[in-house]
């Protein structure tokens, strides 16, 4: 979901996506990196994959969100927000929510 | 393609490839993992960073790919209790899988061949009804007293049995892939 949301802003490549995730403290260290996730998205046909040459003449694989990916992202985001709201409600009911954020 | 790698990168690459191979990852997945790994190593080099910072150990990197490929025995995370270092344990699941496939293949081939030979003996030869003391009937290799006809039937039945076995495996594979796809509906990260 996080990777797809990055791709919603435009096409990107593995290393760049990884750096973007790190900006939001979503580091994948110790979890085998971003690449298996990208492969999975490709297998599920949620992204379009293109190979382009860089200025240095190296081939770089770019990932771009397609229509199915966009639908999947919207659906997953809705699910995630719903789950988050349910958990928040539960924590608030049982006084486990941080005090400064409680009403 | 790996010519520009330094010693550390090369050994990491080799270890990942060896693990993927050892645990029976598909050629397509190995190729994909290899090219992505090389791309990451180059990008990390350009940005002056260590490629391994983001990838973890070769075992961790390989594990994520194996889990995706639904290799036998890799459906639960090794991080929960043991750690990915345990990937170095014997490749028992892949071996058992191969042995089972071989056993099933031999069994199917035998059953198909026997049934075809029996049908041929009953409907295409007279060996079961005519009592010929010079002819010794054997369901698997001698069903006709005419050597040329016997050879033709045995050869044809063996080929048909091999074809039927291949078709059966193809159907099993399709059904297995369908059930796998249907069962894995969890959202990705």
């Amino acid at each position: 979901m996080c990777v797809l949301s990055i791709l919603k802003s435009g096409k990107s490549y593995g290393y760049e996506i990884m750096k973007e995730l790190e900006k939001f403290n979503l580091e994948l260290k110790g979890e085998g990196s971003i690449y298996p996730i990208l492969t999975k998205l490709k297998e599920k046909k949620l992204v379009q994959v293109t190979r382009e040459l860089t200025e240095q003449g190296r081939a770089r694989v770019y990932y771009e969100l397609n229509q199915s990916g966009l639908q999947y992202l919207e659906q997953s985001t809705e699910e995630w927000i719903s789950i988050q709201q349910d958990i928040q409600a539960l924590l608030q009911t049982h006084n486990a929510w941080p005090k400064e954020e409680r009403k | 393609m790996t010519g520009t790698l330094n010693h550390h990168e090369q050994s990491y690459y080799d270890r990942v490839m060896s693990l993927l191979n050892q645990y029976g990852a598909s050629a397509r997945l190995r190729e994909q993992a290899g090219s992505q790994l090389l791309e990451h190593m180059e990008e990390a080099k350009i940005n002056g960073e260590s490629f391994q910072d983001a990838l973890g150990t070769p075992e961790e990197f390989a594990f994520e790919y194996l889990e995706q490929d639904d290799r036998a025995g890799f459906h639960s995370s090794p991080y929960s209790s043991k750690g990915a270092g345990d990937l170095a344990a014997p490749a028992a699941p892949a071996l058992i899988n191969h042995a089972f496939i071989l056993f099933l293949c031999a069994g199917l081939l035998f059953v198909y061949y026997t049934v075809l030979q029996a049908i041929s003996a009953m409907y295409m030869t007279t060996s079961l009804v005519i009592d010929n003391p010079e002819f010794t009937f054997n369901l698997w290799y001698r069903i006709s007293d005419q050597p040329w006809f016997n050879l033709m039937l045995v050869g044809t039945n063996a080929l048909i049995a091999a074809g039927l076995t291949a078709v059966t495996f193809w159907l099993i594979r399709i059904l297995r892939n369908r059930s796998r796809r249907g069962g894995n509906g969890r959202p990705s990260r």
Side-chain angles (χ1 to χ4, degrees):
Chain A
M1 190 175 81
C2 298
V3 174
L4 289 176
S5 67
I6 291 169
L7 294 176
K8 198 182 175 186
S9 308
K11 68 177 179 183
S12 187
Y13 56 95
Y15 200 84
E16 195 177 54
I17 297 167
M18 191 189 75
K19 288 290 159 195
E20 188 62 21
L21 287 170
E22 282 178 8
K23 279 187 202 167
F24 294 89
N25 298 318
L26 294 165
E27 290 183 35
L28 293 159
K29 192 177 178 181
E31 289 192 32
S33 89
I34 183 79
Y35 300 101
I37 298 168
L38 291 170
T39 305
K40 198 170 181 178
L41 294 176
K42 185 188 159 191
E43 299 280 313
K44 285 184 164 184
K45 294 186 171 59
L46 299 175
V47 291
Q48 194 76 35
V49 180
T50 49
R51 197 175 279 267
E52 290 178 22
L53 284 178
T54 62
E55 288 171 4
Q56 293 83 26
R58 289 182 303 104
R60 188 183 266 162
V61 179
Y62 278 89
Y63 300 85
E64 194 172 8
L65 199 64
N66 60 22
Q67 197 54 40
S68 314
L70 193 62
Q71 282 174 0
Y72 186 85
L73 174 64
E74 284 167 2
Q75 190 190 328
S76 322
T77 309
E78 277 172 24
E79 279 173 19
W80 186 80
I81 290 169
S82 167
I83 291 167
Q84 201 207 27
Q85 284 170 346
D86 291 344
I87 293 171
Q88 186 175 340
L90 180 111
L91 291 173
Q92 282 172 339
T93 306
H94 296 280
N95 297 318
W97 194 252
K99 278 179 185 172
E100 60 270 23
E101 289 189 31
R102 242 185 266 162
K103 287 175 189 174
Chain B
M1 200 176 175
T2 61
T4 55
L5 301 182
N6 63 32
H7 177 70
H8 179 52
E9 288 168 340
Q10 187 68 56
S11 60
Y12 187 99
Y13 179 88
D14 291 343
R15 177 75 181 134
V16 169
M17 287 299 119
S18 144
L19 283 167
L20 292 175
N21 198 34
Q22 185 185 346
Y23 285 85
S26 63
R28 183 183 48 78
L29 192 83
R30 286 203 305 273
E31 193 190 324
Q32 188 129 31
S35 75
Q36 285 177 328
L37 184 54
L38 292 174
E39 185 188 317
H40 179 84
M41 283 170 172
E42 281 190 43
E43 295 289 348
K45 213 181 276 179
I46 289 163
N47 288 280
E49 292 174 357
S50 163
F51 73 91
Q52 209 173 341
D53 280 353
L55 303 187
T57 64
E59 286 77 15
E60 286 167 341
F61 187 77
F63 167 76
E64 284 289 316
Y65 278 96
L66 289 165
E67 193 180 44
Q68 254 186 65
D69 208 23
D70 276 351
R71 301 310 308 170
F74 287 97
H75 299 286
S76 58
S77 172
Y79 305 110
S80 55
S81 59
K82 290 179 176 179
D86 293 319
L87 262 183
L95 285 174
I96 289 169
N97 204 17
H98 288 146
F100 175 73
I101 288 170
L102 204 67
F103 179 75
L104 194 67
C105 184
L108 278 171
L109 195 67
F110 177 77
V111 170
Y112 283 137
Y113 179 73
T114 307
V115 171
L116 285 166
Q117 283 285 93
I119 292 169
S120 300
M122 279 189 283
Y123 297 106
M124 298 179 82
T125 70
T126 52
S127 54
L128 293 175
V129 286
I130 293 174
D131 191 27
N132 182 355
E134 289 176 10
F135 173 66
T136 319
F137 177 81
N138 188 299
L139 183 64
W140 290 287
Y141 58 87
R142 195 178 295 135
I143 54 174
S144 171
D145 53 353
Q146 296 293 323
W148 69 271
F149 192 56
N150 181 58
L151 197 68
M152 194 188 80
L153 287 177
V154 166
T156 309
N157 287 340
L159 278 174
I160 295 172
L164 286 172
T165 305
V167 170
T168 309
F169 264 94
W170 180 66
L171 287 172
I172 289 172
R173 199 172 171 179
I174 286 176
L175 290 172
R176 212 171 136 213
N177 286 343
R178 268 191 200 164
S179 67
R180 263 186 195 169
R181 276 187 212 126
N184 188 11
R186 59 182 178 170
S188 63
R189 270 175 283 194

